Amino acid sequence: MIKKIAILTSGGDSPGMNSAVRAIVNTAFKKGLEPYLVYEGYLGLTNGNFKKAEKSDVKLIGSLGGTVIYSARFPEFKKVEVRKKAIEKLKEEGIDALVTIGGDGSYIGASKLTEMGIKTIGLPGTIDNDIASTDYTIGFHTALDTIVRSIDQIRETTESHNRATIVEVMGRFCGDLAIHAAIATGAQVLSTSERKLTEEEIIKESQKARKEGNRSIIIIVSEYLYDVNALAKKIEAETNIETRATILGYPQRGGRPTAEDRILAGRMGAFAVEKLIEGETGVAVNIVNNKLTT
């Protein structure tokens, strides 16, 4: 039987992480467990940066973006001796289990701890929606809404000036944000890692969109595919369509979580505690066809 659980957020922050933390803490109290907050992810875990959670710590955090228990990039956690230090810190506090909220890198860290005897469970917290086992990740819908609002604003000025605009969105090597944003905003051109267009294909599609009478041409591309500023100059030079480039960047990761992300995170957080109590470990919480699974 577990008595104490720790919670950490790791890797890139995503809107909804705080809702998950709140749900885990509140569910732990309801189940008679003692929850602990780990500050600054695996770095904080290794340094013993823990705090015994109180209900007041999480009372008002569900509406906040980012993660109030912070995150940190900590590649050193790959080393066995570093993980042993983290395990020592957990044992010093008498913590029986760990809930990790993050993306694939965070999952790898949790998996390594499981192999070393620590009970762990993961929650998919990343805007990229690149966790294969779940339909949606915590933060995806908020990031998508941010992107759509931004492109709607870009569309208005692009329409006014009879231009084309390249919009680079996040997603790492998963095109879900770009694809959903293209559908939602009516973009004329789309290029993702899964279906990367050549620069010549983008130019051809832009010319086609202009011939069809579009004053505003929106070209959505996933990150890491092109130098979008150079590409904009090339499109303008070869088509005579005035072209601009916008990299949306980190605003996509911030902002208050949508109701959908708050609810998803809350459901997943409560479910994670229940699964740990039932003895499940070394697994991740997923949502498939609106049903929670591990």
Side-chain angles (χ1 to χ4, degrees):
M1 292 293 293
I2 63 172
K3 295 182 180 179
K4 297 182 179 182
I5 63 171
I7 310 149
L8 66 79
T9 54
S10 174
D13 59 299
S14 64
M17 280 184 165
N18 292 323
S19 296
V21 171
R22 180 181 64 181
I24 295 163
V25 169
N26 287 337
T27 305
F29 279 126
K30 288 178 182 178
K31 300 292 184 180
L33 306 178
E34 294 182 42
Y36 283 73
L37 303 174
V38 180
Y39 289 86
E40 295 192 292
Y42 288 117
L43 175 62
L45 187 70
T46 304
N47 292 335
N49 192 1
F50 305 156
K51 178 186 183 297
K52 186 175 180 180
E54 304 291 341
K55 288 186 177 181
S56 58
D57 292 322
V58 299
K59 184 177 180 181
L60 301 176
I61 68 173
S63 63
L64 302 178
T67 164
V68 298
I69 56 175
Y70 316 132
S71 184
R73 302 290 184 184
F74 190 49
E76 292 85 355
F77 202 71
K78 295 177 182 178
K79 300 176 181 178
V80 174
E81 58 270 23
V82 174
R83 295 199 298 275
K84 285 181 178 179
K85 184 179 176 182
I87 290 171
E88 288 173 8
K89 296 295 183 181
L90 287 169
K91 289 182 177 179
E92 286 174 10
E93 292 287 348
I95 294 170
D96 307 298
L98 175 70
V99 182
T100 296
I101 310 168
D104 53 357
S106 305
Y107 277 16
I108 291 170
S111 177
K112 295 295 184 183
L113 289 175
T114 302
E115 293 171 3
M116 299 172 74
I118 299 298
K119 297 181 177 69
T120 66
I121 194 164
L123 265 65
T126 168
I127 68 168
D128 299 330
N129 211 42
D130 60 352
I131 303 297
S133 56
T134 187
D135 288 345
Y136 295 110
T137 57
I138 297 165
F140 171 74
H141 286 103
T142 305
L144 177 61
D145 277 2
T146 299
I147 292 166
V148 169
R149 285 197 304 272
S150 298
I151 293 175
D152 285 346
Q153 292 171 325
I154 290 167
R155 171 78 79 178
E156 291 171 354
T157 186
T158 303
E159 180 82 13
S160 298
H161 290 277
N162 197 28
R163 289 174 177 159
T165 301
I166 305 169
V167 183
E168 181 184 286
V169 303
M170 284 183 167
R172 293 187 71 203
F173 302 106
C174 175
D176 284 11
L177 282 172
I179 293 165
H180 284 71
I183 294 168
T185 62
Q188 288 90 349
V189 187
L190 170 67
S191 182
T192 68
S193 295
E194 299 92 338
R195 180 181 171 274
K196 181 181 177 180
L197 302 182
T198 65
E199 293 184 354
E200 289 69 28
E201 286 173 323
I202 291 175
I203 290 168
K204 184 178 178 180
E205 290 297 317
S206 300
Q207 290 173 319
K208 179 183 176 184
R210 177 51 52 87
K211 288 177 182 178
E212 290 174 348
N214 293 285
R215 282 183 58 87
S216 57
I217 301 168
I218 300 297
I219 303 162
I220 298 179
V221 302
S222 295
E223 59 187 343
Y224 306 128
L225 299 183
Y226 313 96
D227 178 335
V228 291
N229 291 298
L231 178 57
K233 291 178 181 178
K234 185 173 181 179
I235 292 172
E236 185 167 324
E238 297 196 20
T239 66
N240 204 31
I241 301 170
E242 189 176 359
T243 306
R244 298 289 186 267
T246 298
I247 299 173
L248 294 184
Y250 286 104
Q252 296 166 86
R253 286 233 304 253
R256 298 198 166 216
T258 60
E260 192 163 9
D261 270 326
R262 297 183 201 190
I263 293 166
L264 175 63
R267 290 176 65 192
M268 286 185 162
F271 190 73
V273 176
E274 292 169 359
K275 293 293 109 177
L276 281 172
I277 291 171
E278 291 172 9
E280 288 201 45
T281 182
V283 297
V285 174
N286 316 304
I287 189 162
V288 179
N289 296 326
N290 204 35
K291 181 179 179 181
L292 292 175
T293 65
T294 58

